[in-house]
Amino acid sequence: MINNNRLRIAIQKSGRLSDDSKKLLIRCGIKINLERQRLITCAENMSIDVMRVRDDDIPGLVMDGVVELGIVGKNVLEESLLSRRAQGKDALYEILYQLDFGVCRLSLAIPQDKHYTNLQCLNNNCIATSYPYLLKKYLNEKKINFKSFLLNGSVEVAPRAGLADAICDLVSTGGTLEANGLREVEVIYNSNACLICRTGNISNLKKNIIKKLIIRIQGIITARESKYIMLHAPSDKLNEVISLLQGAECPTILKLAGDNSRVAMHMVSRESIFWETMEKLKSLGASSILVLPIEKMME
Ligand code: PRT
Ligand code: ZN
């Protein structure tokens, strides 16, 4: 039985977004036991219920007001939005946060040996896809005639099976396309997971929990992208060291016991530190260079 005073969040039950979605909620401090195969799990320490469903159902659950929040790929969200609009249904939601997982692109791909110079080469082709609305939007804008062939899985085998001339499917590494003798010719949509919220009446109680969650998510994501750097540097090279660490905030400079020519520097960098940067620091005379992950951040 759903308690209406509790904030409801829908995440993917099992698939590419489920682990990252679960981890994000847990790192936000929500205590949930997702071991049991339940549709709805109640958090022990906050007024939050987590609903685990197929990713395709998440936009509808948010837009129809069954849950307040959802974590879903923008590809699924946009397809569902276009499909609802085509059926004359409302699509009321807002994207609260772009998440740093589920990164992929929806692309057009053709058999390796098929001639291709530009989109016109796909004129009057039959294109297999699970995303007919996104495909139609893109090709209509480019004034390309085509026929779409709806497949909900194994889209990449369609050309070989003689079902289509080309495909429009999600790509991340490109390995699946290559293994199926296909090549990517156009990216039609870039996607990542996002946190969405339904619009309309939401009680102040729930709004406050949502605000708190967003601040925590922001803290987790900036912490993930940031690093804590500690190093020893020659006192006369401080400016050069700082200019190498572009993403770093004002460093803390500390004296080193028994060494007046060098100082210890501590700083938070908003960017990843690559081996190349560490090598340059070393050549400036820096030593004991430590790059540490940060767990949480609040500004
Ligand atoms: O059961 P349910 O409906 O919940 O899951 P699903 O099978 O529909 O979705 P799932 O778990 O496969 O993907 C969920 C979401 O993850 C997608 O909607 C995207 O937002 C995101 N995502 C990120 C991906 C990929 N990367 C991805 N590579 N979804 C699918 N793929 C598939 C793609 O369809 C192709 O078959 O992986 C293959 C290509 O991968 P590469 O690495 O070989 O290019
Ligand atoms: Zn799905």
Side-chain angles (χ1 to χ4, degrees), residues 67-209:
V67 299
E68 282 79 25
L69 299 180
I71 296 178
V72 66
K74 271 196 326 205
N75 52 314
V76 170
L77 181 64
E78 186 68 18
E79 180 70 16
S80 146
L81 172 75
L82 295 172
S83 141
R84 284 175 77 99
R85 283 201 185 133
Q87 295 166 47
K89 283 196 205 164
D90 281 341
L92 304 170
Y93 73 92
E94 62 176 311
I95 296 185
L96 292 184
Y97 215 90
Q98 301 279 353
L99 300 166
D100 57 354
F101 55 85
V103 178
C104 59
R105 53 197 189 271
L106 185 64
S107 290
L108 284 163
I110 56 167
Q112 302 270 14
D113 53 4
K114 187 174 154 88
H115 170 75
Y116 189 87
T117 45
N118 56 41
L119 266 182
Q120 290 299 333
C121 299
L122 297 182
N123 226 342
N124 300 320
N125 274 198
C126 174
I127 306 175
T129 190
S130 312
Y131 296 89
Y133 287 97
L134 277 166
L135 176 64
K136 184 168 184 289
K137 182 170 182 239
Y138 184 82
L139 291 183
N140 281 357
E141 275 166 15
K142 307 278 179 190
K143 308 213 171 351
I144 305 290
N145 280 322
F146 74 105
K147 219 172 84 195
S148 75
F149 185 84
L150 184 65
L151 275 179
N152 284 320
S154 308
V155 176
E156 63 280 355
V157 303
R160 229 182 327 137
L163 298 171
D165 306 300
I167 69 163
C168 169
D169 197 14
L170 297 175
V171 182
S172 46
T173 62
T176 305
L177 292 183
E178 206 185 318
N180 286 281
L182 299 169
R183 77 182 155 112
E184 189 176 0
V185 289
E186 305 281 340
V187 175
I188 76 163
Y189 193 80
N190 283 301
S191 184
N192 51 269
C194 57
L195 175 72
I196 56 169
C197 180
R198 80 173 161 84
T199 46
N201 265 344
I202 297 183
S203 70
N204 285 337
L205 197 81
K206 288 183 182 178
K207 275 190 193 154
N208 283 335
I209 308 177

Side-chain angles (χ1 to χ4, degrees), residues 52-72:
R52 283 181 300 161
V53 292
R54 290 199 61 179
D55 67 342
D56 316 75
D57 294 334
I58 296 176
L61 289 170
V62 172
M63 294 178 203
D64 291 331
V66 179
V67 299
E68 282 79 25
L69 299 180
I71 296 178
V72 66

